[in-house]
Amino acid sequence: MAVPKRKVSKARRDNRRANWRATAPTLVECPHCKASIKAHTVCPECGYYDGREVVAHKTKEEK
Ligand SMILES: [Zn+2]
């Protein structure tokens, strides 16, 4: 098993951990229903992607 040759300094260890960040998802407006959706995903509101309905439209009365 590979073993580290030297102890990682506090500065080096903390600097590595400091670059760990969650990023906000890219939100775009659905071209069909104008809802705010994640980019490159089927719209969860109207089921449209690339100008056509690819999954069945989910309405609140169907639930
Ligand atoms: Zn939509």
Side-chain angles (χ1 to χ4, degrees):
M1 195 176 92
V3 171
K5 189 162 190 171
R6 291 184 190 286
K7 177 175 179 172
V8 175
S9 69
K10 289 174 211 164
R12 195 179 161 101
R13 176 249 289 156
D14 292 349
N15 188 45
R16 180 176 65 233
R17 291 177 186 170
N19 291 310
W20 198 89
R21 284 274 183 288
T23 54
T26 305
L27 293 177
V28 295
E29 188 181 75
C30 172
H32 186 252
C33 70
K34 308 300 176 194
S36 189
I37 59 169
K38 281 194 281 182
H40 316 294
T41 58
V42 175
C43 176
E45 296 298 319
C46 64
Y48 267 66
Y49 189 80
D50 201 23
R52 65 190 183 93
E53 192 175 357
V54 290
V55 292
H57 184 163
K58 277 183 190 164
T59 54
K60 276 166 187 156
E61 57 264 31
E62 281 172 20
K63 274 188 178 176

